[in-house]
Amino acid sequence: MLRIQIITIVVNILFVLYISRLIVKGKLREEYAIVWIVCTVFLLLFSFWTDGLELLRRLTGVVVAANLVFTGFIFAILVYLLHLSVVASKLYNDNKKLAQEIALLKEEFKKHLDEKKS
Amino acid sequence: MPGKVLIVIPCYNEEASLPKVLPELLSTALPDSYQLEALIVNDCSKDNTSAVAKKHKATVIDLPVNLGIGGAVQTGILYARENDFDIAIQLDGDGQHPPKELPKLINHHIKTGANIVIGSRFLEKEGFQSSFARRLGIKYFHWVNRLMTGAQVYDSTSGFRLFDRKAIKLASVNYPDEYPEPESLVVFSKAGLKIAEVPVIMAERQGGQSSIRSFGSLYYCFKVSLAMFFSFIRKP
């Protein structure tokens, strides 16, 4: 086994352990962890199966294998970033609705208290 | 000993089935001296679920943002805790869980003292049994659950469940959000709660759509397995 293979495999395993730790501590939700776990599975697959990348390169007709990796990963990262933006937008909207709801409730509650006093 | 029973009905766009479910529920005879209150948790429905429920003398909680099934059920559980209920029972609003089966759950709880009682379709193979693919999925979760907790739960995806005081206390702080049924069983077993199953007869849904469809079902299996695994290794 090549030295670089061993390094990638070790780094991958450490990464999975770190993700697991985050989930167990409740700092990362499982649905977001899925993407990271799938990524590590891919990386692990190609660190064991060194001919795989060459095969994919020939299938897609890319000249340099490294370019295939860059294109693939940059695309995947972009898609995931877009997904995170969608999630953030939803959170913003939900947060706004909650704040408004609480403000209205407070106002209503105050009115009730005043009515009770008088 | 008199007991207060809360029926938690999480609803998302269920205006079609509620007029049938609610009257049936409110006229259900419970075992002696148990009092029933129906609570609709309206998870930001786009139809008239809230208005329809109010017409039928049910307590209604309208969530200001959509929380999903887990968050909606937990809201009901919180209401049960705050208002000192002895038992909370989750019942789906789509008509799959006939209210006349409720006494079976309560009687089983009285008899065995189990903290969680699940209404199961598969103990006695009667009533609506779901499709082949779904049964396969449910079998799979049965095995995952057995592997992790050692407990035999045949219908671990059933949302027809009774929570006693101890379970209410636990679920009010720790209840999964997305697809909570199989995962919560791992949480409950790890906390040492006693889980029991009782055979019930379920119907096919009367309206609305299942939240788990086609491609989503693969994601469902994967996500829930992952979540169950992490609940398993998490310290209680």
Side-chain angles (χ1 to χ4, degrees):
Chain A
M1 203 177 269
L2 293 170
R3 188 183 293 170
I4 181 67
Q5 273 179 293
I6 296 170
I7 295 173
T8 22
I9 291 164
V10 168
V11 169
N12 258 315
I13 290 170
L14 287 178
F15 191 55
V16 170
L17 285 179
Y18 183 60
I19 293 171
S20 309
R21 204 181 124 88
L22 283 178
I23 298 180
V24 168
K25 293 224 151 176
K27 287 182 180 167
L28 179 67
R29 293 171 59 92
E30 285 92 350
E31 55 261 44
Y32 297 114
I34 288 176
V35 173
W36 299 116
I37 287 172
V38 170
C39 272
T40 33
V41 168
F42 268 105
L43 285 175
L44 213 54
L45 175 75
F46 284 107
S47 20
F48 277 112
W49 183 40
T50 34
D51 300 332
L53 197 60
E54 185 54 27
L55 187 79
L56 277 184
R57 185 194 69 80
R58 256 182 289 141
L59 278 179
T60 49
V62 179
V63 180
V64 185
N67 282 344
L68 184 67
V69 177
F70 282 125
T71 320
F73 266 87
I74 290 174
F75 181 68
I77 291 168
L78 274 181
V79 170
Y80 193 57
L81 273 181
L82 179 66
H83 169 71
L84 286 184
S85 315
V86 171
V87 172
S89 310
K90 186 182 175 291
L91 279 180
Y92 174 81
N93 278 334
D94 287 356
N95 196 36
K96 185 179 75 180
K97 251 189 258 171
L98 282 176
Q100 290 167 338
E101 192 92 357
I102 290 175
L104 290 172
L105 271 178
K106 237 177 162 177
E107 164 61 25
E108 212 171 299
F109 186 64
K110 223 176 84 196
K111 237 186 236 162
H112 271 289
L113 280 186
D114 290 346
E115 265 171 34
K116 232 182 181 178
K117 262 185 222 155
S118 60
Chain B
M1 192 182 72
K4 277 166 76 185
V5 180
L6 181 74
I7 311 294
V8 179
I9 311 177
C11 283
Y12 181 71
N13 295 347
E14 303 285 10
E15 64 174 5
S17 55
L18 279 185
K20 206 173 153 273
V21 174
L22 276 177
E24 209 183 316
L25 172 64
L26 293 169
S27 63
T28 303
L30 291 187
D32 43 44
S33 70
Y34 275 88
Q35 277 175 347
L36 179 147
E37 179 177 340
L39 172 72
I40 302 283
V41 183
N42 174 26
D43 194 11
C44 244
S45 293
K46 293 195 173 77
D47 65 2
N48 281 322
T49 298
S50 178
V52 171
K54 277 175 195 140
K55 230 192 292 171
H56 284 92
K57 281 196 279 186
T59 313
V60 180
I61 293 181
D62 289 305
L63 292 173
V65 296
N66 183 281
L67 293 182
I69 173 81
V73 171
Q74 198 181 32
T75 309
I77 299 281
L78 281 171
Y79 181 88
R81 196 191 66 185
E82 298 297 305
N83 294 283
D84 207 30
F85 279 88
D86 299 291
I87 291 175
I89 300 178
Q90 180 192 345
L91 182 122
D92 285 355
D94 58 13
Q96 279 194 82
H97 306 150
K100 65 172 191 295
E101 305 285 292
L102 280 174
K104 286 188 192 168
L105 268 71
I106 298 173
N107 282 327
H108 197 78
H109 164 68
I110 298 170
K111 215 169 66 192
T112 62
N115 304 104
I116 303 276
V117 181
I118 303 170
S120 169
R121 283 161 274 198
F122 305 123
L123 288 182
E124 288 165 13
K125 302 196 180 326
E126 273 185 88
F128 179 62
Q129 293 281 305
S130 200
S131 69
F132 174 73
R134 270 161 200 259
R135 285 207 306 276
L136 203 72
I138 292 166
K139 264 231 166 78
Y140 164 73
F141 284 124
H142 164 68
W143 283 106
V144 176
N145 200 49
R146 197 174 159 193
L147 203 72
M148 288 184 183
T149 65
Q152 289 271 19
V153 178
Y154 288 96
D155 203 351
S156 56
T157 60
S158 164
F160 197 18
R161 300 179 161 191
L162 175 147
F163 302 75
D164 78 340
R165 270 178 187 279
K166 233 172 141 184
I168 289 172
K169 209 172 142 205
L170 177 66
S172 60
V173 285
N174 189 356
Y175 197 72
D177 299 304
E178 239 190 351
Y179 318 128
E181 286 85 7
E183 189 189 340
S184 61
L185 289 181
V186 179
V187 176
F188 293 142
S189 332
K190 280 208 83 175
L193 297 190
K194 205 173 137 202
I195 301 170
E197 256 184 315
V198 66
V200 296
I201 298 170
M202 289 197 195
E204 211 162 337
R205 61 175 60 246
Q206 307 287 310
Q209 244 181 344
S210 168
S211 51
I212 302 158
R213 276 161 303 174
S214 59
F215 176 71
S217 49
L218 269 181
Y219 170 74
Y220 171 82
C221 279
F222 187 58
K223 200 245 140 174
V224 174
S225 306
L226 200 70
M228 284 171 87
F229 173 72
F230 282 112
S231 296
F232 174 65
I233 59 173
R234 188 173 288 148
K235 286 191 199 95

